[in-house]
Amino acid sequence: MSFERLSIVVIGAGPVGTGLALLFRKHGHHIAAVGSRSVVSARKLSRLVGGKPFGTERVFGRPPRPLDLSKVDLVVLTVPDGRLSSLVKNLTAVRLFPVSTRFVHTSGSLTSEVLLPLAQLGHKVCSMHPVQSFPPDVSPRERLATLSGIWFGLEGSRAEERWVSRFVTSLGCHPFRVPKEAKILYHLACTFASNYSVALVGVVEEIARSLRIGQGLRPFRPLVNASLRNALVKGPRASLTGPVMRGGVEVLRRHARAIRRHAPHLENLFEALVSETARQGVQGKRITAKTARAVKAAVKR
Ligand SMILES: NC(=O)c1ccc[n+]([C@@H]2O[C@H](COP(=O)([O-])OP(=O)(O)OC[C@H]3O[C@@H](n4cnc5c(N)ncnc54)[C@H](OP(=O)(O)O)[C@@H]3O)[C@@H](O)[C@H]2O)c1
């Protein structure tokens, strides 16, 4: 089978299903059908990427006569994690696809084991997690731009990982293996990389708002961009700057007083971040253990 033109069905017409369907199409694959719990969502996506729209509940309720799925190579399940297991149960019961059809899901926290009922019918299965953030309400053009050259964490049998690796490469993206037993730890890393970094920008925004300078996050954009770029290119330990790295005990004491006064709900986070920055500074031989103890003591209540 060539990767030049796979026939693909996407089930779950949310941000991930939409983004990946656009990516598949851009790289020459054919979207045979788009399924979603609501046929309205399925129709919306099929207008963008082609393929026959179908509502999964309807299809599971009666024979899917208008849908010819006999030549589908791959089904990509992009439903919420909590819905995967019941979707797989339904797919197993109705046997919509020939056994030659492969199945993947895109969850970062679940392993390929959730697809076991399909594997027991003879389908090849794997998990294929895009290491990217898919916020809602993004235009198709913007969504596609964020998917260029991304990485996909794969987990399944070695043979299936090899097949999905070739598929991912056909999308201009990078595959890598995630060991089954480490999947949740891998997902934790993704969560820090995305969600908690975004939450930290939320903290910057909140403090900036209280300054009433009326510029929102704009003055901080170059600082955030350069700091993250340095950390990603040169490594975080080499890129740390600021009062913890300078052993600036007095400034840190004043930060602590300011946070207690203006944003007491952020006090625990602030202390934890000072402590973590100091730990990384010691590890990277940027500050001594004595300096680390001094900066941590300076911010303790
Ligand atoms: N969001 C991210 O940044 C991100 C990143 C990487 C991986 N992932 C993973 O990718 C998967 C999809 O993520 P998402 O954010 O796109 O999910 P989502 O927005 O929570 O849900 C996707 C769509 O699935 C449909 N759906 C729900 N239950 C269904 C069912 N039983 N059968 C068929 N369709 C159903 C819903 O559409 P309707 O109800 O409108 O039909 C919903 O819009 C998840 O496993 C997630 O963990 C997410």
Side-chain angles (χ1 to χ4, degrees):
M1 184 192 306
S2 153
F3 278 104
E4 276 168 25
R5 192 168 163 86
L6 290 186
S7 177
I8 300 176
V9 169
V10 173
I11 301 185
V16 174
T18 302
L20 293 187
L22 286 164
L23 185 69
F24 300 155
R25 215 181 62 143
K26 178 184 167 191
H27 288 273
H29 299 296
H30 166 64
I31 306 296
V34 173
S36 209
R37 186 178 46 180
S38 123
V39 73
V40 176
S41 308
R43 270 196 208 113
K44 195 171 156 209
L45 178 52
S46 90
R47 275 197 293 273
L48 266 183
V49 296
K52 196 161 179 59
F54 66 95
T56 44
E57 277 165 21
R58 190 154 173 201
V59 159
F60 294 149
R62 62 168 133 130
R65 229 162 255 137
L67 273 176
D68 178 14
L69 303 171
S70 61
K71 294 197 175 70
V72 172
D73 302 305
L74 177 68
V75 178
V76 182
L77 304 177
T78 53
V79 299
D81 291 11
R83 298 277 165 73
L84 255 178
S85 185
S86 61
L87 176 62
V88 166
K89 212 168 118 196
N90 284 330
L91 285 167
T92 308
V94 294
R95 301 189 186 204
L96 288 177
F97 300 92
V99 284
S100 57
T101 305
R102 297 174 135 94
F103 283 81
V104 294
H105 73 69
T106 58
S107 166
S109 65
L110 297 174
T111 68
S112 59
E113 256 167 40
V114 69
L115 304 177
L116 193 64
L118 288 161
Q120 283 165 345
L121 288 184
H123 296 285
K124 293 189 169 130
V125 302
C126 196
S127 72
M128 175 187 146
H129 174 249
V131 189
Q132 183 54 288
S133 169
F134 294 73
D137 304 325
V138 171
S139 74
R141 178 194 262 252
E142 257 183 287
R143 192 159 313 276
L144 203 46
T146 63
L147 298 181
S148 165
I150 63 166
W151 292 70
F152 280 81
L154 313 185
E155 179 280 316
S157 70
R158 285 301 168 102
E160 219 29 37
E161 283 174 5
R162 271 197 297 277
W163 188 90
V164 180
S165 286
R166 286 171 46 222
F167 172 55
V168 165
T169 307
S170 83
L171 305 172
C173 296
H174 308 283
F176 66 102
R177 229 193 123 239
V178 179
K180 191 185 293 277
E181 61 285 1
K183 185 100 196 243
I184 195 66
L185 203 55
Y186 154 79
H187 188 245
L188 180 66
C190 294
T191 309
F192 269 101
S194 175
N195 315 151
Y196 303 146
S197 306
V198 171
L200 282 184
V201 175
V203 169
V204 177
E205 185 185 49
E206 189 180 324
I207 297 176
R209 208 180 307 127
S210 72
L211 299 175
R212 296 182 199 287
I213 50 179
Q215 296 290 339
L217 278 172
R218 260 178 298 173
F220 301 92
R221 270 187 211 158
L223 178 60
V224 172
N225 283 336
S227 304
L228 287 182
R229 196 169 47 243
N230 286 342
L232 290 170
V233 174
K234 294 185 185 157
R237 280 152 186 78
S239 304
L240 283 170
T241 57
V244 173
M245 288 306 105
R246 289 194 291 269
V249 167
E250 190 42 41
V251 175
L252 287 165
R253 265 195 209 109
R254 289 169 58 209
H255 283 176
R257 280 199 293 274
I259 213 148
R260 272 170 215 138
R261 183 154 171 224
H262 297 287
H265 55 288
L266 296 175
E267 192 180 340
N268 289 343
L269 176 69
F270 168 68
E271 271 188 37
L273 285 172
V274 168
S275 176
E276 178 54 21
T277 307
R279 188 185 72 84
Q280 292 188 20
V282 172
Q283 260 192 359
K285 300 192 178 5
R286 302 283 312 283
I287 57 171
T288 63
K290 190 174 167 200
T291 304
R293 278 195 298 277
V295 297
K296 284 195 269 184
V299 300
K300 275 252 171 310
R301 188 182 266 281

